[in-house]
Amino acid sequence: MSEAVEWVQTQVRAAVIRDGLHPVRDREAVQGLVDRAVQEYDLRSLREDLPALGDAQEAGRRVMAELSGLGPLQPLMDDPTIEEVWLNGPDRVFVARAGMAELTGIRLRQDELRTLVERMLAPTNRRLDLSSPFVDAALPDGSRLHVAIPDITRGAWYVNIRKFVSRAQRLDDLVESGSLTRAAARYLHAAVVCGMNVLVSGPTQAGKTTLLNCLTASIPPRERLVTAEEVFELTPPLRDVVALQCRPANLDGAGEIGLRRLVKEALRMRPDRIVVGEVREAESLDLLLALNSGVPGMATVHSNGARDALSKMCTLPLLAGPNIGSSFVVPTVAASVDLVVHCDRDRSGRRGVREIALVGAAGENGVIELARLFRDDGAGLVQRTEADAEHPKLRAAGLRAVDVLAGAA
């Protein structure tokens, strides 16, 4: 950093402390201080023998990046082509573009990395220490932060920042990007409108959250939506939304609010719909009970396919306690989940919907019927005309699957 920029940064830091500002929460006010400091330095450099500031706009960006941004990482955060940033220690900084990983030339010191992590966590009310060596948090711009520190890790601090860069807000946006066909988008829109319960599945970074967010845009505008997430990621474009997120335990080990509690509380908030960001553990039981009680909903789950997603939903509720058995869970899953939408990412990093399947009844052998309406076998998502796309909830809404798929509905 040049002497001139360091001088401006010192002046701004002093003003921030003087005015009692927080560099992250009071970003707009800090930006004003930076602009004034840069302007004053420019004027002084005309009268005094001071180091050249160079491009005033660039100098201001560098000062803001050090004060309220992420310092050397800020250019990566500002780059719209970068989807994720991760650090395997201070001297190995990676990014992902279009699903492909790249090693950057950025190098930090260990103290710089710790300072950056502390700055990112400051407005989140989340802590990171020896007693709590993992942390999940949402950054002000919506990016998701995950940090792991020793002695859980082998000496290094591991940091992942998953940026919220998707421009897709509706199913039509996914069609335009090639992630979804027009017919599949019409069917998914109708499924959400008529209140079908949708399970979005896929591996990590397959676009599950993006698809779920686009599905929420199809919820009728007069309905009240309650979302439950570990960390805020969903941004439903609706007027009546209640967003809930989990809370970690405090220093005394008390006060933790888990996803299972949020699902239970959501039912007390007069929801017309509920959405669970990601189902991983026993909260799956509470979600199934909610869906089976007549409240439509959606959720995501990690899996390798639609069939695997259903199997996982039949297994996760067993974590709720020894009194929960497969004889109860399997028919409950069959009665509660109507549609499974599976996403994936190919070797080139391209994301898309690979499978859309209707859920049928549970057989005597404990296997749930699955009718694959759309499937991508390597040549794109194709409708399987031999599969029956009709569903009671479509008919109850006055819709016929054949008309929806043809665009006549």
Side-chain angles (χ1 to χ4, degrees):
M1 185 182 295
S2 69
E3 290 181 43
V5 174
E6 285 187 8
W7 187 93
V8 172
Q9 183 177 314
T10 301
Q11 297 300 309
V12 175
R13 283 190 189 278
V16 167
I17 295 172
R18 179 197 67 211
D19 297 344
L21 300 175
H22 190 285
V24 177
R25 287 193 295 265
D26 305 313
R27 185 179 176 87
E28 193 172 327
V30 173
Q31 181 67 64
L33 294 175
V34 170
D35 293 341
R36 285 194 292 274
V38 168
Q39 188 177 20
E40 288 173 6
Y41 188 92
D42 249 354
L43 294 174
R44 283 189 60 183
S45 65
L46 297 175
R47 303 189 303 267
E48 305 174 28
D49 185 18
L50 295 173
L53 184 64
D55 187 329
Q57 195 172 18
E58 176 60 25
R61 277 197 295 267
R62 292 177 64 185
V63 172
M64 278 299 294
E66 290 296 327
L67 290 173
S68 62
L70 301 185
L73 302 183
Q74 192 59 45
L76 306 181
M77 299 299 292
D78 294 336
D79 187 339
T81 67
I82 292 177
E83 303 162 348
E84 189 165 359
V85 180
W86 64 97
L87 293 82
N88 296 346
D91 58 348
R92 293 182 68 79
V93 182
F94 294 81
V95 299
R97 284 188 176 91
M100 305 299 288
E102 303 173 14
L103 176 63
T104 72
I106 297 175
R107 300 289 185 271
L108 285 76
R109 301 187 309 273
Q110 184 61 45
D111 62 317
E112 279 186 295
L113 178 54
R114 293 190 180 204
T115 300
L116 285 178
V117 170
E118 290 171 0
R119 186 183 301 166
M120 287 187 280
L121 291 177
T124 68
N125 197 31
R126 311 242 166 169
R127 78 178 199 280
L128 186 68
D129 52 39
L130 289 176
S131 64
S132 181
F134 296 104
V135 70
D136 243 330
L139 301 182
D141 66 351
S143 299
R144 182 168 181 171
L145 170 71
H146 182 270
V147 185
I149 64 173
D151 56 355
I152 297 299
T153 66
R154 185 180 288 179
W157 282 41
Y158 292 89
V159 180
N160 280 73
I161 306 172
R162 185 178 298 178
K163 294 169 60 180
F164 189 74
V165 297
S166 175
R167 296 177 178 85
Q169 296 295 321
R170 300 178 181 277
L171 293 172
D172 285 344
D173 298 331
L174 297 180
V175 173
E176 291 176 8
S177 69
S179 300
L180 196 62
T181 63
R182 182 69 64 184
R186 285 196 296 264
Y187 190 85
L188 290 178
H189 174 75
V192 174
V193 168
C194 74
M196 290 171 64
N197 298 322
V198 182
L199 184 64
V200 178
S201 69
T204 301
Q205 281 290 292
K208 298 186 299 297
T209 302
T210 297
L211 175 58
L212 185 61
N213 207 57
C214 292
L215 288 172
T216 64
S218 294
I219 295 174
R222 292 185 179 276
E223 294 192 8
R224 176 175 171 83
L225 171 64
V226 181
T227 66
E229 305 174 82
E230 286 191 355
V231 176
F232 290 133
E233 288 186 284
L234 296 172
T235 55
L238 303 171
R239 66 179 186 179
D240 191 356
V241 179
V242 176
L244 308 174
Q245 76 169 355
C246 297
R247 186 179 72 190
N250 58 25
L251 293 174
D252 299 322
E256 181 178 6
I257 303 293
L259 197 54
R260 192 171 186 189
R261 172 74 180 277
L262 294 184
V263 175
K264 292 177 180 177
E265 295 298 328
L267 292 177
R268 300 186 175 104
M269 305 180 78
R270 198 192 174 280
D272 293 310
R273 306 266 180 150
I274 60 172
V275 171
V276 178
E278 186 174 326
V279 177
R280 295 185 181 186
E281 298 180 11
E283 67 273 358
S284 56
L285 174 64
D286 301 278
L287 174 62
L288 289 176
L289 294 177
L291 299 181
N292 206 29
S293 69
V295 180
M298 295 180 278
T300 70
V301 65
H302 279 94
S303 79
N304 294 318
R307 171 63 66 187
D308 289 343
L310 277 186
S311 298
K312 197 166 187 179
M313 287 300 293
C314 292
T315 304
L316 289 178
L318 303 181
L319 300 173
N323 58 330
I324 306 298
S326 295
S327 60
F328 166 76
V329 173
V330 173
T332 303
V333 170
S336 302
V337 180
D338 299 312
L339 196 67
V340 181
V341 185
H342 183 70
C343 310
D344 206 349
R345 185 182 62 176
D346 61 25
R347 291 185 177 181
S348 68
R350 186 176 179 81
R351 300 172 178 86
V353 173
R354 302 291 182 248
E355 198 174 1
I356 299 175
L358 271 178
V359 179
E364 294 182 1
N365 56 357
V367 177
I368 300 176
E369 296 175 0
L370 204 60
R372 291 176 171 86
L373 308 181
F374 294 84
R375 190 164 185 173
D376 184 352
D377 291 320
L381 193 65
V382 177
Q383 181 185 346
R384 300 175 76 245
T385 54
E386 67 272 21
D388 185 5
E390 295 295 343
H391 192 276
K393 291 183 179 179
L394 284 174
R395 291 194 293 270
L399 299 173
R400 292 199 315 155
V402 63
D403 294 333
V404 171
L405 292 169

